Amino acid sequence: MGDYSPLAMLVVDPFADQLLAANPSACALLRIDEARPLTTPFSHRLSASLSLWVSFTDEALVQKAAWSDDLVILDMCRQPYRVEVYAQRIDVSEQLLLTLIDRNKAEQRRAQAELGRQHRQGEVGWQRVEQVFERIEKQNQLILGAAGEGIYGLDAEGKTTFVNPAAERILGWSTDDMVGHDAHLMFHHAHADGSHFPVQQCPIHAAFSDGQVHHVDNEVFWHKNGEAIPVEYTSTPIFEMGRLVGAVVLFRDIRERKRAEQQLRDALAEVESLKQRLELENEYLQEEIKAELNHHDIVGNSPAVAKLIKQIEMVAPTSANVLISGESGTGKELIARAIHAGGMRSDRPLIRVNCAAIPRDLFESEFFGHVKGAFTGAIQDRPGRFELAHGGTLFLDEVGEIPLELQSKLLRVLQDQQFERVGENRTREVDVRVIAATNRELREMINLGRFREDLYFRLNVFPVDSVPLRQRIEDVPLLARHFLQRACLKFNKPGVRIPPAQLEILQRYAWPGNIRELENIIERQVIVTQDRRLVFDDLLLGEPSRSPDTFAEASPAHHSEQHGAQAVLTEHTLSQRQRESTIAALKQAGGKVSGAGGAAELLGIKPTTLTSRLNKWGIDARKFRHHKPHLSPTHDTLD
């Protein structure tokens, strides 16, 4: 079917709405892959002219032939083409043979043919064309010479007719080099990336067929020395006696403008980067403010706390790295904040990194940042924690969780204060003080090959031990008061108190969860209390009975051994201890059960509950009235 025809030819079944065959010219026009026949309905290629297609095919089937120049057909890339269509019915079948002609190309060919005819007939001869450009050049000689923009003329074949001095200066070609030669081939032959620029796509040459003014501001002309010169240009068609004879092109060298635009883009990118950094810093600071409200002071007056405060005062003013070791919940982050606040970097942020919460494959990006496209999901540049902490302090919590393969990069930052973002070759410098914290035995990890010894020594310039609460049990009253005040504010429950007997329970407990456990327990009791008195009777269930002094003197290992040996108490023993405590409270209260200073208040229970227990045990509270009530100084109620 017309395999050698230059015209695009199709066979279509209008009732089945299918394209049955297409010759090579049609495949080229509509970008059809000959090896993969069309399966979609042919009407999908007709854009908005579907209604015209219906009437056109009806005419062709009835009249056996039809012609139209109103149809628009889409190629496989959905690009529209205005076409002339000649349709012929194939014998008696309901199939149509279509011949397509691209109207735009047909009009260009007709215009060129008409121009050729006119040239041959002498209506606009070559001599006259030359005279047209000579006249333009002569009449505008002063303007052409003084203009800072490059100006040159082209005839209808694209050959240069005249050039002004600015064009010579910008392009490096002389007038003799350019006049009479194809300007496109000489200095407009390639795009900025070096790829070929077909003359058929050139907006300057488009003026020869459509007679329109074309303005372009994102192309390049090529200097004689091979340098690409960014330009903006306007191509204006020239008519003589109503006939298009060429064009005049005015262009500007916009290298300086491009440089200024690039500098502006770089500046804006830097501003955006700084803005992003400040936003991230602000997010971290807001999180820290919320998390650490009223946590700026270390509470306690025990010897362990006094030693800790002295260590902080010594190391804070320096820039030394600090390693804080201690059990979970002992306030390692609070110590880090105190060190930062007491140093010269206190006006810059303290950026916290919880190393235990970062996915293994995101450690490097989290620490050092990444550039756009560095990995899947990296949709924009992002600074890491080291950049955010520049000039300030980076707190590496749970530092023992850092993967071994990243430890060498972390060591380099600590040694050289240099790093690279993920996906970037640029080395960045940073000024950061590092405070690390761990609840793991790093020495043991070094022996097992899971932590670098050189990194350990780099972090452990000044070691600080965070003492567990069981070794500073005398601080429990102060801590309890501190957490009680905070909880009352937090949950809007003013006036909640801890009875003296309940305070004793707090001091007898071993606190395996340390200060964090104490804070959580007090908050929980403030939430559930109904009579504004906190009760911790259940705290010692399964715990050994110990005095505060015993806890203060016992080592962690000794305590753990004792705790394991006496962890279980029988129900009878618990009931007996409760009875003894109740009798002691009655003696102290002088037989008074309820009211201020009564046994129920001392025990932290309701008077009705105490009365029920006394009836159960057969105890008469009146027998204790001869005892004079007194309160020891250590039993003051916390309020």
Side-chain angles (χ1 to χ4, degrees), residues 417-555:
Q417 298 280 287
Q418 293 181 339
F419 70 95
E420 290 88 30
R421 287 183 179 180
V422 178
E424 184 181 52
N425 294 325
R426 171 189 168 191
T427 298
R428 299 171 182 263
E429 295 188 354
V430 71
D431 175 24
V432 172
R433 179 186 193 175
V434 174
I435 300 176
T438 182
N439 62 359
R440 304 182 65 173
E441 287 293 339
L442 295 185
R443 273 294 186 183
E444 183 178 339
M445 293 180 66
I446 291 171
N447 295 334
L448 296 173
R450 291 160 56 190
F451 201 86
R452 292 179 63 109
E453 188 173 29
D454 48 4
L455 177 58
Y456 171 78
F457 287 127
R458 184 64 64 172
L459 292 172
N460 196 36
V461 175
F462 191 92
V464 174
D465 289 325
S466 184
V467 180
L469 185 55
R470 62 180 172 273
Q471 293 183 20
R472 44 178 290 207
I473 207 73
E474 59 267 54
D475 288 332
V476 167
L478 289 175
L479 288 166
R481 179 183 294 110
H482 178 70
F483 293 139
L484 178 61
Q485 290 174 347
R486 289 186 60 207
C488 290
L489 288 173
K490 184 176 180 180
F491 303 118
N492 193 26
K493 279 194 166 184
V496 178
R497 297 177 298 164
I498 302 178
Q502 299 300 312
L503 181 60
E504 253 186 45
I505 292 175
L506 293 181
Q507 291 183 285
R508 290 167 55 193
Y509 183 55
W511 299 110
N514 291 298
I515 298 172
R516 185 181 295 121
E517 183 183 11
L518 173 61
E519 180 180 18
N520 291 343
I521 286 175
I522 288 179
E523 284 192 352
R524 183 165 61 248
Q525 292 301 319
V526 168
I527 292 171
V528 302
T529 184
Q530 299 297 319
D531 58 359
R532 302 192 183 280
R533 289 181 299 177
L534 301 191
V535 178
F536 305 102
D537 286 345
D538 295 337
L539 195 60
L540 293 181
L541 290 178
E543 286 288 321
S545 176
R546 289 188 178 274
S547 68
D549 291 340
T550 305
F551 279 117
E553 296 170 359
S555 67

Side-chain angles (χ1 to χ4, degrees), residues 195-362:
S195 60
H196 178 60
F197 194 167
V199 68
Q200 296 85 356
Q201 299 175 7
C202 177
I204 295 173
H205 280 251
F208 301 153
S209 59
D210 61 18
Q212 302 294 317
V213 175
H214 292 268
H215 180 76
V216 177
D217 63 0
N218 60 348
E219 289 184 7
V220 297
F221 286 169
W222 292 89
H223 193 276
K224 186 176 182 178
N225 64 11
E227 178 187 0
I229 304 171
V231 294
E232 64 174 0
Y233 64 79
T234 301
S235 174
T236 305
I238 302 299
F239 293 88
E240 175 72 8
M241 299 177 61
R243 304 299 178 185
L244 181 63
V245 296
V248 171
V249 181
L250 182 147
F251 67 95
R252 295 183 181 87
D253 179 353
I254 58 172
R255 280 176 290 190
E256 197 59 40
R257 192 188 82 187
K258 289 285 185 181
R259 279 193 288 268
E261 289 175 352
Q262 185 59 48
Q263 289 174 353
L264 178 60
R265 282 192 292 270
D266 292 343
L268 290 175
E270 183 68 20
V271 169
E272 183 62 29
S273 176
L274 291 173
K275 175 186 173 186
Q276 186 182 47
R277 174 177 170 178
L278 289 172
E279 287 175 348
L280 287 171
E281 282 186 7
N282 184 56
E283 287 180 16
Y284 289 126
L285 290 172
Q286 291 299 326
E287 290 175 4
E288 304 303 340
I289 290 170
K290 293 176 183 176
E292 297 300 325
L293 186 63
N294 293 331
H295 259 205
H296 300 296
D297 297 322
I298 296 176
V299 178
N301 54 18
S302 63
V305 171
K307 178 183 176 182
L308 176 63
I309 292 175
K310 185 176 181 180
Q311 287 182 306
I312 292 172
E313 290 174 347
M314 285 191 295
V315 76
T318 73
S319 59
N321 295 335
V322 179
L323 179 62
I324 306 169
S325 303
E327 298 177 12
S328 179
T330 55
K332 295 187 292 294
E333 183 173 350
L334 189 60
I335 297 172
R337 293 185 183 284
I339 294 172
H340 172 72
M344 296 179 293
R345 300 169 182 262
S346 58
D347 59 333
R348 294 291 298 153
L350 180 142
I351 302 297
R352 176 180 180 269
V353 185
N354 184 357
C355 301
I358 302 175
R360 191 177 188 88
D361 55 346
L362 293 181

